[in-house]
Amino acid sequence: MEPNSSIPPPVMGAAVAYPPAAGAAYSAGPYAHAHAALGALYPPPPAPGPPSSHQGGAAAAQLQLFWAEQYREIEATTDFKNHNLPLARIKKIMKADEDVRMIAAEAPVVFARACEMFILELTHRGWAHAEENKRRTLQKSDIAAAVARTEVFDFLVDIVPRDEPRDADPAAAAMGAAAPGIPQHPAAADPTTMGYYYVQPQ
Amino acid sequence: MDSSFLPAGADNGSAGGANNGGGAAQQAPPIREQDRLMPIANVIRIMRRVLPAHAKISDDAKETIQECVSEYISFITGEANERCQREQRKTITAEDVLWAMSRLGFDDYVEPLSVYLHRYREFEGEARGVGLAPAPPRGDHHHHHHSVPPSMLNKSRGPGSGAVMLPHHHHHDMHASMYGGAVPPPPHHGFLMPHPQGGHYLPYPYEPTSYGGEHALASGYYGGAAYAPGNNGGSGDGSGGSASHAPPGGSGGGFDHPHTFAYK
């Protein structure tokens, strides 16, 4: 315990923090496996047409890099005083729930980092959808598509309702992707019913 | 232990009272829009880190992300608070937040956040030891130190530690059922690899035990132990041992397990 605490924190800068030899020896293995694991965790959504399929594969690979980057950033963190999101605001949102009594000081600190990761992941997935539609502007419908495609984001279904008129095809594709995860296949045919069935798993 | 707990409780009670007062005042009128969302400038800055330079972000996308972040905080906090109430505790700890994330499907977040929490605590300890001149920051850090006891108390309880591990496994089963039996092994195997590098880069003795989500939680507890006396260190090791045994039991359980283990 004490020897660890005596060890000085890593020097600022990724290049300096990772000696080339050690980096080469250790970085490839873990990330390669992480790629396989994350690839399994985030299978590319089935989409019609070769171009979409290719982009799906690219998106999956980018997500693997995304998580590897998260590890690298956290390992390289040296400034624990300034957070990218205000702790006081996080605490206020936590206390909006009347049942919440007291909050340990470290909880908002963890949330600040978690929300960063959440924003990055949601933005990344949304951007993948924008690219599939050959757009350079991230729109609300891209966020909605990302939410529809990612089961862990089901709790956001009410926050970002799908605009069916604008994204009829992407919405259908998203539902097609989600269908395998839903027990009742007939629901896939009806968007409205699909919405209802989304609520049940929650 | 009880005698030591009372002062901490009193202190937390006082702070809680102040917070509750503030909360009551704020709740009388509806919470201001500005206070309900994360600052949009911060959100945009974070979004841009993952977007190409030529990407533009529409205003409705910015606002949507703001809403999503607040919903995320409320979603996780609700789950963490339920666990606190089940265990008759008043303070939501960082470990409760991590537990809630793993339970609600954010497994990928738990491990990097455990590392972050561990390093944050190390930083806090160093700051406390190094600086004497800055009196105000010292007071703040001292307060932070006071917030640790509840976590330590939670850590010292074997049943609590068991409860921490088993619900996660319960979620693991659910996760497996969602994606089919083939999925569980790859994530664990994937998570095994980053740690050797982490261990090599930051030679903590706690890192080797952080394989998989449940051990990531244990890592969080070890982080707490890092700043405790030798005795607490020992209890930390005990908690780790408990964690290592929890996986087999948890794997056999279903949805009912959380309730069962909550009372164990």
Side-chain angles (χ1 to χ4, degrees):
Chain A
M1 191 182 302
E2 294 177 359
N4 298 322
S5 62
S6 65
I7 295 174
V11 182
M12 192 66 180
V16 179
Y18 281 88
Y26 286 89
S27 62
Y31 287 134
H33 285 274
H35 289 182
L38 293 176
L41 278 176
Y42 301 101
S52 301
S53 175
H54 177 69
Q55 291 180 359
Q62 290 175 5
L63 272 174
Q64 298 166 16
L65 290 179
F66 168 81
W67 283 108
E69 184 65 24
Q70 288 303 302
Y71 273 99
R72 195 176 310 135
E73 284 187 7
I74 285 185
E75 293 284 347
T77 300
T78 55
D79 181 3
F80 292 96
K81 287 187 174 181
N82 298 305
H83 306 281
N84 291 320
L85 294 170
L87 302 186
R89 192 73 59 87
I90 292 174
K91 193 169 181 181
K92 278 185 180 179
I93 295 172
M94 291 178 77
K95 290 202 64 78
D97 183 344
E98 296 182 0
D99 289 335
V100 172
R101 298 190 194 179
M102 285 176 286
I103 301 167
E106 288 171 342
V109 170
V110 167
F111 255 125
R113 195 72 192 209
C115 290
E116 254 186 78
M117 296 166 71
F118 175 79
I119 293 171
L120 291 169
E121 183 181 4
L122 201 49
T123 302
H124 189 281
R125 291 177 179 276
W127 178 250
H129 183 263
E131 279 191 325
E132 288 177 12
N133 290 271
K134 305 296 197 299
R135 283 187 279 96
R136 290 189 172 186
T137 302
L138 185 69
Q139 297 177 359
K140 179 173 183 176
S141 58
D142 300 317
I143 308 298
V147 167
R149 291 179 175 180
T150 314
E151 190 156 0
V152 79
F153 293 149
D154 279 352
F155 70 98
L156 298 171
V157 166
D158 295 334
I159 303 293
V160 281
R162 283 184 295 276
D163 294 330
E164 296 177 2
R166 294 184 181 178
D167 306 282
D169 292 336
M175 293 178 187
I182 298 178
Q184 304 183 22
H185 280 274
D190 187 355
T192 305
T193 310
M194 178 67 68
Y196 283 106
Y197 278 99
Y198 267 117
V199 176
Q200 292 184 358
Q202 294 178 2
Chain B
M1 186 178 292
D2 290 344
S3 61
S4 64
F5 182 76
L6 287 176
D11 183 61
N12 287 330
S14 174
N19 288 332
N20 289 336
Q26 293 172 7
Q27 288 171 4
I31 299 177
R32 295 185 299 160
E33 183 81 2
Q34 186 178 356
D35 289 336
R36 192 175 58 84
L37 302 173
M38 286 291 118
I40 195 163
N42 298 56
V43 170
I44 295 169
R45 193 182 313 126
I46 294 170
M47 291 174 76
R48 293 213 170 278
R49 284 163 47 189
V50 79
L51 293 173
H54 62 83
K56 293 183 173 61
I57 310 171
S58 70
D59 287 341
D60 64 345
K62 296 171 182 173
E63 293 167 8
T64 297
I65 296 289
Q66 278 183 298
E67 296 275 353
C68 289
V69 175
S70 295
E71 186 69 13
Y72 175 71
I73 295 172
S74 299
F75 185 52
I76 300 294
T77 300
E79 187 75 12
N81 195 45
E82 278 188 11
R83 178 191 169 191
C84 276
Q85 292 182 339
R86 262 201 310 274
E87 301 182 1
Q88 299 185 6
R89 290 186 283 106
K90 293 182 178 178
T91 305
I92 296 178
T93 65
E95 282 78 16
D96 293 324
V97 171
L98 293 177
W99 177 87
M101 286 180 189
S102 67
R103 179 166 171 79
L104 296 173
F106 293 92
D107 306 71
D108 293 325
Y109 291 47
V110 173
E111 195 160 320
L113 288 175
S114 298
V115 173
Y116 181 76
L117 177 60
H118 177 76
R119 301 192 67 226
Y120 173 81
R121 286 171 168 166
E122 186 188 44
F123 159 80
E124 195 175 328
E126 289 179 358
R128 193 169 61 240
V130 170
L132 285 177
R138 194 55 42 214
D140 287 348
H141 285 285
H142 194 60
H143 176 69
H144 281 227
H145 182 64
H146 270 290
S147 70
V148 172
S151 171
M152 291 163 54
L153 288 174
N154 182 61
K155 168 165 46 65
S156 64
R157 300 172 186 172
S161 173
V164 171
M165 296 299 111
L166 293 169
H168 175 78
H169 275 278
H170 156 65
H171 167 73
H172 182 76
D173 288 347
M174 186 175 72
H175 192 68
S177 65
M178 286 193 296
Y179 293 98
V183 173
H188 276 283
H189 191 50
F191 283 125
L192 287 176
M193 297 314 297
H195 278 281
Q197 177 184 359
H200 175 76
Y201 179 55
L202 296 171
Y204 298 134
Y206 314 110
E207 289 299 329
T209 62
S210 299
Y211 297 119
E214 68 280 10
H215 291 116
L217 291 177
S219 173
Y221 286 111
Y222 283 143
Y227 303 110
N231 294 335
N232 286 288
S235 67
D237 290 345
S239 174
S242 169
S244 66
H245 286 288
S251 62
F255 268 90
D256 294 335
H257 269 239
H259 299 281
T260 305
F261 289 102
Y263 287 95
K264 183 176 277 185

